[in-house]
Amino acid sequence: MAFPVMMSILIEQLINITDALFLGHVGDVELGASALAGIWFWAIYMLGLGFSMGLQVVIGRRNGEQRYEETGKAFIQGLFFLSIFAVTVCLVSKALSPILLKHLIISEDIYHAVIRYLDWRMWGLLFSFPFLALRSFLVGITKTKALNVAAFMAVLVNIPTNWILIFGFDMGISGAAIASSFAELCSLAILSVYMYRHIDKKAYGLYWRIDVKILKEVFSVSIWSMLQFFTSVAAWFVFFLAIERLGETELAVSNIVRSVSTLFAVIVNALSAVTGSLVSNLIGAGEREAVFPLCRRITRLGYAIGIPLIILALLFHRFAIGAYTDSPDIVQAACLPFAVMLFDYFLALPSYVYLNAVVGTGATRAVFVFHVTTIIVYLLGLWGLSRCNVTLATYWLMEYLFVTLLGIQSIFYLKNDRTKNTNL
């Protein structure tokens, strides 16, 4: 069940990775700008992802209760909301992003490159938000195999399109944005065709009918996930703003490290997303006592997948970093932050598994509170580092603090048997 979800999340991450790989050979400014622009886009994208996670919880709960027609009704409301929301957010962000970023980014060159990227990248929201609704439905009913095909199509389209537009048509960072949005369109088309041909519309109640009551129910769960996801990436954006003030080289190095880290984030995010869905199904089936054993099994699976990859990354770190840049100075500067990032996996995996177990109980408001308290401590830590003359690797150590605090709060919540207090 986890592997297809992993592949679907890989769609989102490979788009950012491919952009960084190609833009690193265009210039350091473009490489650094793609980091800030990508995280800015990611923060907005997280609003849709947060809603889809709440939608997935509701669908999973109804599926566990064997109320299959209700799963389809919830999906239709979610698809409707995410489609309208995509248009709204796209237009608002295109109008306001240049104004806001002008006051946040110091380097004029990086600012103009960021805007050129976002001018095209924002249109991808029109495809990625509906895709999230489809993914929530398939994960919620535990039929995830079609996500593999969608992921493969995204990769098949994104890599050659990036090369053609960036180098063939000399479009630079704008070409990377266009290629990314087009890849998301292709993924949406694949899942749409699968839904039309293979899902029983009558059994799942897949008919266009707006039900305000169900939409409110989904939104009451999702609003906290939306705020949680947005604030967590907003903190990530603040992290990169702090790095940008260190210099363009440090920003370029951090984008390389972040880009490689997304491969490990794919594993963490996929397993934690499946955790939320399975916990929701377990509670719907009246099996709350199985939540902790499930989390432990998923964590062990994540270590079995991730540890061999970490060993390979450490052994071939110069090759991995060198794929992004031709500069030996950047390769050398990236080595220590790269190692710090890799070892963060050992803390991030269990933390996000248990965090999404809390999401699966429907306690999305509690998860939002966890994020707020964690982010406050995290930002205070970043502020403290900015007052000192510390290395780039020290900044990356702050990620250890972030995930550890999330994990401690989540385990404490679950151990207090609060899963009985669900309102779905």
Side-chain angles (χ1 to χ4, degrees), residues 105-371:
I105 299 174
I106 294 176
S107 169
E108 283 291 322
D109 291 338
I110 288 179
Y111 167 75
H112 289 298
V114 166
I115 297 304
R116 288 199 305 274
Y117 183 88
L118 292 176
D119 279 344
W120 289 101
R121 190 69 184 93
M122 284 302 173
W123 296 112
L125 295 173
L126 302 179
F127 315 125
S128 59
F129 277 17
F131 175 89
L132 288 173
L134 294 173
R135 190 177 79 183
S136 293
F137 177 73
L138 293 173
V139 174
I141 65 172
T142 69
K143 294 183 178 180
T144 58
K145 291 183 179 180
L147 301 177
N148 283 334
V149 181
F152 178 74
M153 178 57 67
V155 176
L156 196 65
V157 168
N158 192 44
I159 293 176
T161 307
N162 253 296
W163 189 88
I164 291 169
L165 294 179
I166 292 174
F167 300 114
F169 288 90
D170 197 26
M171 296 182 69
I173 198 167
S174 298
I178 295 171
S180 299
S181 297
F182 182 62
E184 290 174 334
L185 170 60
C186 294
S187 297
L188 175 62
I190 291 293
L191 283 196
S192 299
V193 171
Y194 175 83
M195 288 282 292
Y196 179 78
R197 296 185 61 182
H198 297 286
I199 300 298
D200 189 331
K201 301 175 186 61
K202 184 176 180 179
Y204 286 103
L206 296 177
Y207 302 104
W208 276 106
R209 187 184 302 112
I210 304 304
D211 190 318
V212 176
K213 182 180 178 182
I214 296 177
L215 184 57
K216 285 182 178 179
E217 179 187 19
V218 174
F219 196 77
S220 68
V221 177
S222 300
I223 182 63
W224 301 109
S225 294
M226 294 169 72
L227 293 172
Q228 167 215 329
F229 278 66
F230 177 79
T231 52
S232 63
V233 179
W236 195 229
F237 184 74
V238 172
F239 173 83
F240 270 82
L241 284 178
I243 300 301
E244 193 246 347
R245 281 154 175 76
L246 296 178
E248 292 178 356
T249 298
E250 287 79 4
L251 183 60
V253 167
S254 291
N255 193 21
I256 293 172
V257 175
R258 179 191 70 91
S259 182
V260 177
S261 75
T262 57
L263 292 173
F264 295 93
V266 166
I267 303 170
V268 173
N269 291 336
L271 291 173
S272 58
V274 168
T275 302
S277 181
L278 290 177
V279 167
S280 187
N281 273 273
L282 283 173
I283 294 176
E287 299 182 27
R288 292 184 177 89
E289 69 283 352
V291 170
F292 267 100
L294 171 70
C295 291
R296 288 192 291 268
R297 290 177 67 184
I298 290 176
T299 300
R300 288 196 296 270
L301 174 62
Y303 284 142
I305 297 170
I307 289 175
L309 296 176
I310 290 172
I311 294 171
L312 286 174
L314 287 171
L315 290 175
F316 300 101
H317 65 280
R318 287 189 174 273
F319 174 79
I321 298 167
Y324 289 85
T325 180
D326 299 320
S327 169
D329 292 337
I330 290 180
V331 173
Q332 182 62 37
C335 289
L336 186 55
F338 186 84
V340 171
M341 173 274 296
L342 289 176
F343 286 107
D344 180 53
Y345 181 85
F346 291 96
L347 297 172
L349 175 64
S351 294
Y352 281 105
V353 165
Y354 283 103
L355 182 73
N356 277 268
V358 179
V359 172
T361 70
T364 50
R365 182 175 179 176
V367 172
F368 173 65
V369 173
F370 298 165
H371 266 85

Side-chain angles (χ1 to χ4, degrees), residues 50-62:
F51 182 87
S52 75
M53 292 301 293
L55 175 63
Q56 181 180 307
V57 169
V58 174
I59 291 172
R61 183 67 57 82
R62 299 295 172 261

